[in-house]
Amino acid sequence: MEEIDGDRFDEVVGASPAPYLVDFWATWCAPCEAYGPIVDEVVAERGPGLRAGQLDVAAYPGVAERCGIRTIPAVAVFRDGQIVRRIFGARTKRYLSDELDRLLL
């Protein structure tokens, strides 16, 4: 999963031809550290039909706020640069996978 530079966020997410999942996290967030590998697995299982990146909310709080992220861990799925779903909290692999299946069908 690529690290997203907050200064290029709109360019990276908006230019994606595929849906783009953003994992909002911070180094000081223990649940984020535990949830990260789950997000990585779910994204890897989707192949090229889903692009993904991580944004450090401590480094880019303005981007997180603009995206409606007020708590972490959180993921947001973007299509054509617009948020289509936000998922807050560390969820199970099954939950995240099922939510993505609904969005990406």
XYZ file of all heavy atoms in Angstrom:
814
model
N 0.854 -1.168 0.000
C 0.000 0.000 0.000
C 0.900 1.232 0.000
O 1.828 1.311 0.789
C -0.888 -0.030 1.238
C -2.062 0.855 1.103
S -3.278 0.783 2.439
C -3.493 -0.926 2.731
N 0.611 2.166 -0.862
C 1.461 3.352 -0.969
C 1.130 4.379 0.110
O -0.012 4.489 0.554
C 1.332 3.977 -2.354
C -0.021 4.595 -2.646
C -0.124 5.202 -4.033
O 0.755 5.997 -4.416
O -1.092 4.876 -4.725
N 2.153 5.102 0.541
C 1.951 6.233 1.447
C 1.482 7.403 0.600
O 2.091 7.717 -0.426
C 3.261 6.608 2.151
C 3.677 5.634 3.224
C 2.776 5.691 4.451
O 2.306 6.782 4.821
O 2.541 4.627 5.024
N 0.415 8.035 1.024
C -0.109 9.175 0.269
C 0.374 10.459 0.920
O 0.156 10.689 2.103
C -1.650 9.169 0.237
C -2.169 7.863 -0.340
C -2.165 10.357 -0.566
C -3.675 7.717 -0.232
N 1.018 11.278 0.135
C 1.440 12.603 0.563
C 0.196 13.487 0.543
O -0.470 13.599 -0.487
C 2.498 13.109 -0.424
C 2.992 14.495 -0.122
O 2.225 15.323 0.429
O 4.149 14.784 -0.443
N -0.134 14.069 1.673
C -1.337 14.884 1.769
C -1.381 16.028 0.788
O -2.459 16.469 0.388
N -0.210 16.515 0.365
C -0.175 17.608 -0.605
C -0.601 17.146 -1.996
O -0.970 17.959 -2.825
C 1.232 18.212 -0.664
C 1.645 18.819 0.673
O 0.760 19.310 1.409
O 2.849 18.780 0.990
N -0.533 15.830 -2.236
C -0.912 15.270 -3.543
C -2.147 14.382 -3.437
O -2.451 13.632 -4.352
C 0.258 14.463 -4.104
C 1.476 15.305 -4.417
C 2.597 14.510 -5.096
N 2.111 13.720 -6.193
C 2.168 12.372 -6.253
N 2.695 11.675 -5.285
N 1.705 11.718 -7.292
N -2.840 14.450 -2.321
C -3.961 13.557 -2.059
C -4.991 13.577 -3.188
O -5.353 12.528 -3.728
C -4.630 13.926 -0.727
C -5.736 13.005 -0.342
C -5.470 11.836 0.321
C -7.056 13.329 -0.645
C -6.494 10.974 0.680
C -8.089 12.478 -0.283
C -7.807 11.296 0.377
N -5.485 14.740 -3.541
C -6.519 14.841 -4.577
C -6.019 14.310 -5.913
O -6.761 13.639 -6.632
C -7.001 16.278 -4.730
C -7.751 16.759 -3.508
O -8.438 15.943 -2.864
O -7.649 17.950 -3.180
N -4.778 14.593 -6.219
C -4.191 14.124 -7.471
C -4.115 12.597 -7.495
O -4.500 11.964 -8.480
C -2.791 14.728 -7.626
C -2.038 14.266 -8.845
C -0.626 14.803 -8.863
O -0.352 15.853 -8.253
O 0.216 14.146 -9.484
N -3.642 11.992 -6.424
C -3.478 10.546 -6.365
C -4.825 9.836 -6.356
O -5.081 8.929 -7.152
C -2.657 10.134 -5.119
C -2.667 8.630 -4.918
C -1.226 10.645 -5.233
N -5.697 10.241 -5.469
C -6.995 9.567 -5.312
C -7.912 9.864 -6.493
O -8.564 8.972 -7.025
C -7.645 9.963 -3.978
C -9.051 9.420 -3.863
C -6.790 9.478 -2.809
N -7.949 11.102 -6.914
C -8.842 11.499 -8.002
C -8.442 10.970 -9.362
O -9.288 10.776 -10.228
N -7.159 10.697 -9.560
C -6.685 10.232 -10.858
C -6.795 8.721 -11.026
O -6.551 8.204 -12.105
C -5.230 10.654 -11.059
N -7.174 8.028 -9.981
C -7.235 6.573 -10.051
C -8.379 6.118 -10.944
O -9.528 6.494 -10.726
C -7.410 5.989 -8.648
O -7.543 4.584 -8.734
N -8.082 5.266 -11.930
C -9.152 4.732 -12.777
C -9.997 3.693 -12.039
O -11.141 3.440 -12.399
C -8.403 4.094 -13.941
C -7.058 3.769 -13.390
C -6.765 4.814 -12.352
N -9.440 3.114 -10.980
C -10.144 2.114 -10.166
C -10.579 2.773 -8.858
O -10.039 3.808 -8.464
C -9.203 0.940 -9.871
N -11.536 2.177 -8.156
C -11.854 2.677 -6.812
C -10.583 2.718 -5.974
O -9.675 1.899 -6.164
C -12.853 1.646 -6.279
C -13.466 1.049 -7.497
C -12.374 1.030 -8.525
N -10.518 3.674 -5.059
C -9.310 3.876 -4.264
C -9.674 3.849 -2.786
O -10.503 4.639 -2.335
C -8.675 5.221 -4.616
C -7.221 5.315 -4.251
C -6.238 5.213 -5.215
C -6.832 5.492 -2.925
C -4.895 5.287 -4.882
C -5.499 5.565 -2.584
C -4.531 5.458 -3.565
O -3.213 5.525 -3.220
N -9.055 2.942 -2.036
C -9.267 2.837 -0.601
C -8.143 3.565 0.109
O -6.964 3.350 -0.205
C -9.280 1.367 -0.172
C -9.486 1.124 1.316
C -10.361 -0.107 1.519
C -8.169 0.936 2.045
N -8.496 4.424 1.039
C -7.500 5.130 1.847
C -7.620 4.648 3.286
O -8.700 4.679 3.873
C -7.686 6.660 1.791
C -6.656 7.353 2.684
C -7.573 7.157 0.363
N -6.506 4.195 3.825
C -6.404 3.782 5.226
C -5.874 4.989 5.995
O -4.736 5.403 5.803
C -5.446 2.590 5.323
C -5.244 2.090 6.741
O -5.983 2.501 7.650
O -4.312 1.275 6.935
N -6.721 5.572 6.832
C -6.336 6.719 7.656
C -5.803 6.171 8.975
O -6.497 5.419 9.664
C -7.539 7.633 7.907
C -8.019 8.336 6.671
C -8.962 7.750 5.846
C -7.527 9.581 6.328
C -9.414 8.390 4.707
C -7.966 10.239 5.190
C -8.912 9.642 4.369
N -4.588 6.553 9.330
C -3.924 5.977 10.494
C -2.928 6.982 11.085
O -2.737 8.070 10.545
C -3.184 4.702 10.091
C -1.964 4.996 9.254
C -1.940 5.439 7.962
C -0.618 4.930 9.684
N -0.643 5.632 7.566
C 0.190 5.331 8.605
C -0.014 4.569 10.879
C 1.574 5.373 8.683
C 1.370 4.611 10.946
C 2.143 5.012 9.859
N -2.301 6.594 12.178
C -1.213 7.374 12.785
C -0.279 6.400 13.509
O -0.718 5.343 13.975
C -1.759 8.400 13.778
N 0.968 6.768 13.609
C 1.962 5.882 14.235
C 1.672 5.646 15.705
O 2.007 4.593 16.236
C 3.388 6.448 14.090
O 3.413 7.759 14.670
C 3.809 6.516 12.641
N 1.027 6.572 16.378
C 0.746 6.445 17.801
C -0.528 5.649 18.083
O -0.879 5.403 19.228
C 0.630 7.824 18.456
C -0.260 8.777 17.702
C 0.133 9.738 16.820
C -1.688 8.827 17.734
N -0.959 10.400 16.302
C -2.109 9.853 16.853
C -2.671 8.115 18.417
C -3.436 10.183 16.638
C -4.016 8.448 18.198
C -4.374 9.474 17.322
N -1.227 5.215 17.061
C -2.522 4.533 17.201
C -2.321 3.011 17.181
O -2.134 2.415 16.116
C -3.438 4.976 16.059
S -5.000 4.081 15.944
N -2.386 2.393 18.363
C -2.202 0.938 18.456
C -3.262 0.165 17.665
O -2.910 -0.790 16.956
C -2.188 0.505 19.916
N -4.546 0.535 17.726
C -5.527 -0.188 16.892
C -5.229 -0.071 15.394
O -5.486 -1.004 14.638
C -6.857 0.472 17.240
C -6.655 1.005 18.619
C -5.215 1.455 18.652
N -4.661 1.055 14.979
C -4.293 1.226 13.565
C -3.208 0.220 13.176
O -3.243 -0.352 12.081
C -3.776 2.637 13.298
S -4.981 3.936 13.549
N -2.245 0.044 14.053
C -1.154 -0.903 13.790
C -1.693 -2.323 13.660
O -1.235 -3.108 12.840
C -0.106 -0.833 14.896
C 0.653 0.489 14.947
C 1.508 0.736 13.718
O 2.124 -0.218 13.190
O 1.563 1.898 13.277
N -2.681 -2.674 14.478
C -3.269 -4.008 14.418
C -4.167 -4.171 13.190
O -4.238 -5.250 12.600
C -4.065 -4.277 15.690
N -4.853 -3.119 12.801
C -5.808 -3.161 11.693
C -5.118 -3.085 10.327
O -5.618 -3.623 9.347
C -6.803 -2.019 11.851
C -8.013 -2.051 10.960
C -8.743 -3.211 10.775
C -8.465 -0.897 10.322
C -9.881 -3.228 9.983
C -9.586 -0.898 9.540
C -10.297 -2.071 9.367
O -11.423 -2.084 8.578
N -3.979 -2.451 10.265
C -3.261 -2.281 8.998
C -3.060 -3.568 8.212
O -3.351 -3.613 7.014
N -2.572 -4.646 8.837
C -2.388 -5.892 8.095
C -3.696 -6.482 7.557
O -3.715 -7.090 6.489
C -1.752 -6.835 9.125
C -1.074 -5.924 10.097
C -1.960 -4.707 10.164
N -4.782 -6.273 8.278
C -6.084 -6.741 7.793
C -6.467 -5.980 6.528
O -6.895 -6.570 5.533
C -7.166 -6.582 8.890
C -6.865 -7.529 10.049
C -8.570 -6.797 8.323
C -7.705 -7.293 11.287
N -6.299 -4.667 6.560
C -6.606 -3.847 5.382
C -5.719 -4.280 4.220
O -6.200 -4.457 3.092
C -6.430 -2.347 5.692
C -6.629 -1.515 4.433
C -7.396 -1.908 6.784
N -4.435 -4.487 4.481
C -3.508 -4.928 3.429
C -3.968 -6.237 2.788
O -3.943 -6.375 1.564
C -2.098 -5.115 3.992
C -1.422 -3.812 4.357
O -1.862 -2.748 3.885
O -0.430 -3.867 5.118
N -4.369 -7.200 3.595
C -4.825 -8.497 3.082
C -6.055 -8.350 2.202
O -6.118 -8.929 1.114
C -5.177 -9.439 4.240
C -4.021 -10.122 4.884
C -4.501 -11.087 5.963
O -5.431 -11.883 5.690
O -3.949 -11.011 7.072
N -7.015 -7.599 2.678
C -8.264 -7.430 1.934
C -7.996 -6.731 0.603
O -8.530 -7.127 -0.440
C -9.311 -6.674 2.777
C -10.527 -6.294 1.954
C -9.724 -7.522 3.976
N -7.152 -5.733 0.607
C -6.815 -5.013 -0.625
C -6.081 -5.946 -1.588
O -6.391 -5.986 -2.786
C -5.978 -3.753 -0.314
C -5.377 -3.174 -1.577
C -6.841 -2.716 0.396
N -5.117 -6.710 -1.084
C -4.350 -7.623 -1.937
C -5.261 -8.657 -2.601
O -5.036 -9.029 -3.766
C -3.263 -8.317 -1.119
N -6.275 -9.115 -1.901
C -7.204 -10.098 -2.450
C -8.040 -9.533 -3.590
O -8.558 -10.283 -4.404
C -8.125 -10.627 -1.351
C -7.396 -11.500 -0.348
C -8.234 -11.847 0.877
O -9.399 -11.371 0.976
O -7.718 -12.578 1.737
N -8.184 -8.228 -3.650
C -9.001 -7.605 -4.694
C -8.222 -7.386 -5.991
O -8.795 -7.093 -7.022
C -9.538 -6.254 -4.219
C -10.384 -6.373 -2.960
C -11.811 -6.552 -3.282
N -12.729 -7.016 -2.292
C -12.582 -7.883 -1.312
N -11.431 -8.409 -1.054
N -13.570 -8.256 -0.534
N -6.904 -7.462 -5.943
C -6.099 -7.297 -7.145
C -6.166 -5.885 -7.701
O -6.442 -4.927 -6.969
N -5.963 -5.744 -9.009
C -5.895 -4.411 -9.615
C -7.230 -3.671 -9.683
O -7.280 -2.512 -10.067
C -5.355 -4.681 -11.019
C -5.733 -6.090 -11.305
C -5.718 -6.806 -9.982
N -8.319 -4.330 -9.300
C -9.624 -3.679 -9.320
C -9.808 -2.682 -8.200
O -10.817 -1.969 -8.161
N -8.851 -2.626 -7.271
C -8.906 -1.683 -6.153
C -7.499 -1.185 -5.875
O -6.599 -1.971 -5.630
C -9.471 -2.364 -4.905
C -9.522 -1.524 -3.631
C -10.527 -0.384 -3.781
C -9.876 -2.394 -2.426
N -7.318 0.100 -5.922
C -6.037 0.696 -5.534
C -6.152 1.138 -4.087
O -7.250 1.360 -3.590
C -5.703 1.891 -6.424
C -5.445 1.444 -7.859
C -4.747 2.483 -8.694
N -3.522 2.938 -8.064
C -3.104 4.212 -8.081
N -3.799 5.129 -8.708
N -1.986 4.562 -7.499
N -5.011 1.291 -3.422
C -5.070 1.649 -2.008
C -3.818 2.397 -1.575
O -2.746 2.238 -2.143
C -5.241 0.391 -1.156
N -4.003 3.206 -0.533
C -2.896 3.934 0.061
C -3.207 4.274 1.502
O -4.336 4.102 1.968
N -2.182 4.743 2.204
C -2.318 5.133 3.604
C -2.034 6.616 3.742
O -1.141 7.143 3.089
C -1.307 4.404 4.470
C -1.522 2.927 4.596
C -0.474 2.311 5.496
O 0.713 2.525 5.298
N -0.916 1.559 6.480
N -2.792 7.262 4.634
C -2.550 8.668 4.941
C -2.375 8.807 6.441
O -3.242 8.386 7.209
C -3.714 9.552 4.484
C -3.457 11.026 4.772
C -2.797 11.682 3.579
C -4.714 11.743 5.164
N -1.251 9.369 6.843
C -0.955 9.613 8.254
C -1.702 10.877 8.684
O -1.371 11.983 8.257
C 0.554 9.783 8.434
C 0.979 9.977 9.869
O 0.121 10.259 10.732
O 2.185 9.864 10.134
N -2.717 10.703 9.534
C -3.545 11.840 9.944
C -2.785 12.826 10.820
O -3.153 14.005 10.881
C -4.849 11.394 10.637
C -5.684 10.540 9.702
C -4.581 10.674 11.933
N -1.733 12.365 11.491
C -0.928 13.276 12.304
C -0.141 14.232 11.414
O 0.058 15.393 11.755
C 0.013 12.489 13.220
N 0.281 13.740 10.269
C 1.045 14.570 9.332
C 0.140 15.453 8.477
O 0.544 16.543 8.071
C 1.908 13.684 8.433
N -1.073 14.979 8.203
C -1.988 15.703 7.313
C -3.395 15.786 7.909
O -4.362 15.258 7.348
C -2.032 15.035 5.931
C -0.685 14.964 5.290
C 0.034 13.774 5.279
C -0.107 16.087 4.720
C 1.294 13.707 4.700
C 1.151 16.031 4.143
C 1.843 14.839 4.134
O 3.084 14.777 3.569
N -3.534 16.456 9.061
C -4.848 16.509 9.708
C -5.908 17.226 8.874
O -7.097 16.891 8.960
C -4.575 17.246 11.017
C -3.330 18.031 10.768
C -2.528 17.212 9.805
N -5.517 18.177 8.069
C -6.477 18.905 7.243
C -7.130 18.011 6.205
O -8.328 18.148 5.931
N -6.359 17.105 5.632
C -6.916 16.180 4.642
C -7.908 15.241 5.323
O -9.001 15.006 4.818
C -5.799 15.377 3.935
C -6.393 14.328 3.002
C -4.867 16.303 3.170
N -7.524 14.719 6.484
C -8.427 13.822 7.221
C -9.729 14.538 7.572
O -10.821 13.993 7.381
C -7.735 13.306 8.482
N -9.618 15.754 8.047
C -10.818 16.512 8.416
C -11.704 16.757 7.198
O -12.921 16.601 7.259
C -10.414 17.841 9.045
C -11.595 18.641 9.526
C -11.178 19.922 10.230
O -10.137 19.931 10.903
O -11.902 20.914 10.083
N -11.103 17.126 6.097
C -11.857 17.373 4.860
C -12.592 16.119 4.382
O -13.664 16.200 3.778
C -10.897 17.865 3.773
C -11.554 18.270 2.493
C -10.610 19.021 1.574
N -9.312 18.433 1.401
C -8.970 17.616 0.405
N -9.850 17.266 -0.501
N -7.742 17.150 0.303
N -12.031 14.956 4.701
C -12.642 13.680 4.313
C -13.627 13.164 5.355
O -14.171 12.074 5.205
C -11.557 12.636 4.065
S -10.537 12.997 2.629
N -13.851 13.928 6.414
C -14.800 13.528 7.439
C -14.265 12.470 8.391
O -15.034 11.764 9.034
N -12.954 12.385 8.496
C -12.325 11.406 9.380
C -12.021 12.100 10.697
O -11.159 12.963 10.774
C -11.033 10.825 8.759
C -11.307 10.239 7.373
C -10.386 9.819 9.699
C -12.333 9.130 7.331
N -12.745 11.699 11.741
C -12.580 12.307 13.049
C -12.075 11.322 14.087
O -11.799 11.675 15.215
C -13.886 12.922 13.508
C -14.278 14.088 12.610
C -15.556 14.721 12.982
N -16.114 15.776 12.193
C -15.855 16.177 10.973
N -14.928 15.612 10.301
N -16.502 17.154 10.381
N -11.987 10.057 13.699
C -11.480 9.016 14.576
C -10.732 7.994 13.714
O -11.044 7.848 12.525
C -12.623 8.337 15.362
O -12.081 7.408 16.287
C -13.604 7.648 14.449
N -9.753 7.359 14.313
C -8.998 6.336 13.597
C -8.916 5.091 14.456
O -9.047 5.194 15.683
C -7.590 6.828 13.184
C -6.814 7.355 14.387
C -7.678 7.850 12.073
C -5.379 7.729 14.098
N -8.721 3.941 13.862
C -8.533 3.710 12.433
C -9.826 3.947 11.647
O -10.927 3.807 12.166
C -8.108 2.241 12.349
C -8.658 1.610 13.567
C -8.676 2.685 14.620
N -9.625 4.282 10.397
C -10.744 4.487 9.481
C -10.254 4.223 8.062
O -9.082 4.444 7.757
C -11.276 5.910 9.574
N -11.161 3.747 7.252
C -10.873 3.640 5.828
C -11.989 4.347 5.084
O -13.123 4.433 5.563
C -10.737 2.174 5.328
C -9.573 1.469 5.986
C -12.008 1.395 5.510
N -11.646 4.864 3.937
C -12.635 5.496 3.061
C -12.394 4.988 1.653
O -11.243 4.829 1.237
C -12.522 7.013 3.110
N -13.468 4.725 0.956
C -13.375 4.280 -0.428
C -13.837 5.431 -1.314
O -14.899 6.015 -1.089
C -14.236 3.027 -0.682
C -14.133 2.594 -2.139
C -13.816 1.896 0.256
N -13.010 5.749 -2.291
C -13.271 6.844 -3.219
C -13.519 6.269 -4.606
O -12.886 5.295 -5.015
C -12.057 7.778 -3.305
C -11.780 8.539 -2.056
C -11.151 7.930 -0.973
C -12.114 9.873 -1.949
C -10.877 8.628 0.185
C -11.843 10.592 -0.789
C -11.227 9.962 0.279
N -14.423 6.899 -5.316
C -14.650 6.589 -6.728
C -14.728 7.928 -7.442
O -15.476 8.808 -7.031
C -15.946 5.790 -6.904
C -16.139 5.340 -8.326
C -17.304 4.396 -8.474
N -16.872 3.068 -8.042
C -17.618 2.243 -7.334
N -18.817 2.590 -6.944
N -17.175 1.051 -6.999
N -13.902 8.095 -8.470
C -13.830 9.359 -9.208
C -13.555 10.539 -8.276
O -14.120 11.621 -8.429
C -15.118 9.606 -9.996
C -15.370 8.515 -11.031
O -14.398 8.059 -11.663
O -16.536 8.111 -11.207
N -12.722 10.296 -7.262
C -12.322 11.355 -6.347
C -13.320 11.686 -5.260
O -13.074 12.554 -4.432
N -14.470 10.999 -5.228
C -15.517 11.262 -4.245
C -15.646 10.087 -3.278
O -15.581 8.927 -3.691
C -16.863 11.483 -4.942
C -16.860 12.630 -5.925
C -16.602 13.964 -5.253
O -17.201 14.278 -4.240
N -15.682 14.736 -5.815
N -15.863 10.385 -2.019
C -16.046 9.325 -1.028
C -17.382 8.636 -1.261
O -18.419 9.291 -1.361
C -16.002 9.890 0.404
C -14.616 10.442 0.718
C -16.386 8.805 1.425
C -14.516 11.126 2.063
N -17.319 7.301 -1.337
C -18.549 6.521 -1.475
C -18.845 5.716 -0.211
O -19.969 5.239 -0.036
C -18.512 5.584 -2.710
C -18.486 6.408 -3.987
C -17.350 4.616 -2.664
N -17.857 5.564 0.669
C -18.086 4.840 1.922
C -16.956 5.119 2.890
O -15.796 5.157 2.501
C -18.152 3.329 1.635
C -18.354 2.440 2.854
C -19.802 2.485 3.338
N -20.089 1.378 4.234
C -20.054 1.482 5.556
N -19.765 2.622 6.137
N -20.338 0.436 6.310
N -17.327 5.353 4.162
C -16.364 5.463 5.257
C -16.637 4.318 6.219
O -17.797 4.031 6.520
C -16.526 6.772 6.009
C -16.112 7.993 5.246
C -16.326 9.239 6.130
N -16.288 10.433 5.343
C -17.336 11.011 4.760
N -18.533 10.507 4.889
N -17.192 12.098 4.045
N -15.581 3.713 6.725
C -15.707 2.643 7.718
C -14.813 3.017 8.883
O -13.595 3.156 8.717
C -15.305 1.273 7.139
C -16.190 0.933 5.936
C -15.379 0.189 8.215
C -15.722 -0.247 5.121
N -15.418 3.203 10.049
C -14.676 3.631 11.234
C -14.430 2.459 12.176
O -15.275 1.574 12.317
C -15.444 4.724 11.977
C -15.596 5.979 11.165
C -16.775 6.263 10.514
C -14.537 6.864 11.056
C -16.915 7.418 9.758
C -14.658 8.024 10.305
C -15.855 8.300 9.648
N -13.294 2.488 12.825
C -12.952 1.471 13.813
C -12.269 0.274 13.187
O -12.365 0.030 11.989
N -11.558 -0.464 14.021
C -10.899 -1.690 13.575
C -11.969 -2.766 13.424
O -12.624 -3.128 14.390
C -9.833 -2.110 14.573
N -12.158 -3.225 12.225
C -13.193 -4.216 11.923
C -12.546 -5.550 11.578
O -11.356 -5.622 11.301
C -14.048 -3.748 10.731
C -14.725 -2.427 10.925
C -15.734 -2.500 12.044
N -16.477 -1.267 12.171
C -17.779 -1.222 12.285
N -18.504 -2.316 12.292
N -18.371 -0.063 12.416
N -13.343 -6.569 11.524
C -12.825 -7.872 11.139
C -12.539 -7.889 9.643
O -13.091 -7.081 8.875
C -13.829 -8.998 11.451
O -15.002 -8.800 10.645
C -14.172 -9.035 12.932
N -11.709 -8.822 9.257
C -11.410 -8.990 7.835
C -12.694 -9.274 7.062
O -12.918 -8.723 5.997
C -10.399 -10.113 7.637
C -10.050 -10.346 6.197
C -9.048 -11.469 6.035
C -8.792 -11.721 4.565
N -7.907 -12.856 4.351
N -13.538 -10.110 7.611
C -14.796 -10.472 6.951
C -15.689 -9.246 6.743
O -16.275 -9.056 5.683
C -15.526 -11.515 7.790
C -16.914 -11.813 7.341
C -16.954 -13.113 6.685
N -18.273 -13.332 6.131
C -18.745 -14.500 5.905
N -18.027 -15.552 6.180
N -19.922 -14.645 5.376
N -15.799 -8.410 7.771
C -16.633 -7.209 7.669
C -16.119 -6.301 6.555
O -16.884 -5.859 5.689
C -16.663 -6.457 9.000
C -17.504 -5.208 8.951
C -18.856 -5.259 9.268
C -16.960 -3.984 8.577
C -19.645 -4.121 9.203
C -17.739 -2.840 8.514
C -19.077 -2.916 8.828
O -19.845 -1.787 8.758
N -14.830 -6.011 6.576
C -14.254 -5.120 5.570
C -14.407 -5.722 4.176
O -14.780 -5.033 3.231
C -12.787 -4.832 5.881
C -12.067 -3.891 4.934
C -12.755 -2.538 4.857
C -10.613 -3.719 5.372
N -14.138 -6.996 4.054
C -14.261 -7.669 2.771
C -15.696 -7.614 2.250
O -15.931 -7.308 1.067
C -13.795 -9.118 2.912
O -13.774 -9.747 1.664
N -16.666 -7.884 3.119
C -18.071 -7.837 2.706
C -18.484 -6.423 2.279
O -19.205 -6.253 1.297
C -18.986 -8.308 3.843
C -18.920 -9.811 4.071
O -18.314 -10.534 3.241
O -19.462 -10.270 5.104
N -18.038 -5.411 3.005
C -18.364 -4.027 2.641
C -17.780 -3.667 1.275
O -18.441 -3.031 0.453
C -17.851 -3.054 3.701
C -18.648 -3.076 4.986
C -20.088 -2.651 4.777
O -20.324 -1.557 4.239
O -20.986 -3.437 5.136
N -16.551 -4.080 1.028
C -15.938 -3.798 -0.271
C -16.645 -4.559 -1.387
O -16.831 -4.027 -2.485
C -14.445 -4.118 -0.246
C -13.601 -3.168 0.579
C -12.159 -3.630 0.625
C -13.683 -1.738 0.061
N -17.037 -5.795 -1.110
C -17.780 -6.549 -2.129
C -19.051 -5.805 -2.525
O -19.375 -5.718 -3.709
C -18.156 -7.940 -1.601
C -16.971 -8.893 -1.545
O -15.914 -8.588 -2.144
O -17.109 -9.938 -0.883
N -19.768 -5.273 -1.561
C -20.998 -4.524 -1.863
C -20.709 -3.276 -2.706
O -21.469 -2.921 -3.598
C -21.700 -4.120 -0.574
C -22.522 -5.219 0.037
C -23.406 -4.688 1.143
N -22.753 -4.644 2.440
C -22.555 -5.701 3.217
N -22.931 -6.889 2.818
N -21.977 -5.572 4.389
N -19.610 -2.612 -2.387
C -19.284 -1.373 -3.107
C -18.736 -1.615 -4.496
O -18.945 -0.807 -5.402
C -18.225 -0.590 -2.320
C -18.693 0.129 -1.083
C -17.500 0.652 -0.308
C -19.632 1.266 -1.441
N -18.003 -2.691 -4.665
C -17.268 -2.883 -5.911
C -17.987 -3.739 -6.930
O -17.487 -3.930 -8.030
C -15.886 -3.495 -5.601
C -15.030 -2.654 -4.662
C -13.732 -3.356 -4.355
C -14.774 -1.263 -5.217
N -19.148 -4.243 -6.603
C -19.891 -5.055 -7.578
C -20.475 -4.196 -8.670
O -20.789 -3.100 -8.564
C -20.997 -5.847 -6.889
C -20.518 -6.952 -5.976
C -21.720 -7.652 -5.346
C -19.674 -7.973 -6.714
